[in-house]
Amino acid sequence: LTATILYLLVRTYFHFKKDKNIHRVIKKEINQAEEVLHKSFDILREDVIDYDNKKLTATEHKRMADFRKDIDAAEKVINKEMDDIR
């Protein structure tokens, strides 16, 4: 009986220790993914700004402004989802 209780305590300890390590790994992966996400959206914004700085018609300037809004909205939605994962 004592050996069984001791065994269960040891198993419980290692189970929680394993969960803690998994949580740490997942958090690290989420942080790395978030960095890549922000860099990718920054590149998209720079491309839109570079294109918008060329001589464009009023309609094309409006389209570029709409693209920037869409990029910001998409980044906000993805950030919210990543926060929910945490």
Side-chain angles (χ1 to χ4, degrees), residues 32-75:
Q32 289 174 345
E34 193 170 24
E35 287 178 26
V36 170
L37 169 81
H38 288 299
K39 287 178 185 177
S40 298
F41 277 104
D42 289 342
I43 290 169
L44 287 172
R45 277 191 201 89
E46 288 174 14
D47 289 348
V48 169
I49 289 169
D50 289 345
Y51 185 78
D52 199 24
N53 287 335
K54 298 178 182 178
K55 289 187 177 186
L56 302 175
T57 65
T59 304
E60 290 171 323
H61 278 293
K62 168 99 171 74
R63 190 175 299 147
M64 290 298 106
D66 289 343
F67 283 150
R68 281 194 298 264
K69 287 179 186 176
D70 291 344
I71 289 169
D72 292 340
E75 185 177 24

Side-chain angles (χ1 to χ4, degrees), residues 1-9:
L1 182 61
T2 305
T4 304
I5 293 172
L6 182 60
Y7 172 76
L8 291 174
L9 288 173

Side-chain angles (χ1 to χ4, degrees), residues 19-37:
D19 283 350
K20 187 176 180 181
N21 289 337
I22 289 172
H23 181 71
R24 189 178 309 129
V25 169
I26 290 171
K27 189 171 184 173
K28 180 180 174 185
E29 290 294 323
I30 289 172
N31 288 337
Q32 289 174 345
E34 193 170 24
E35 287 178 26
V36 170
L37 169 81

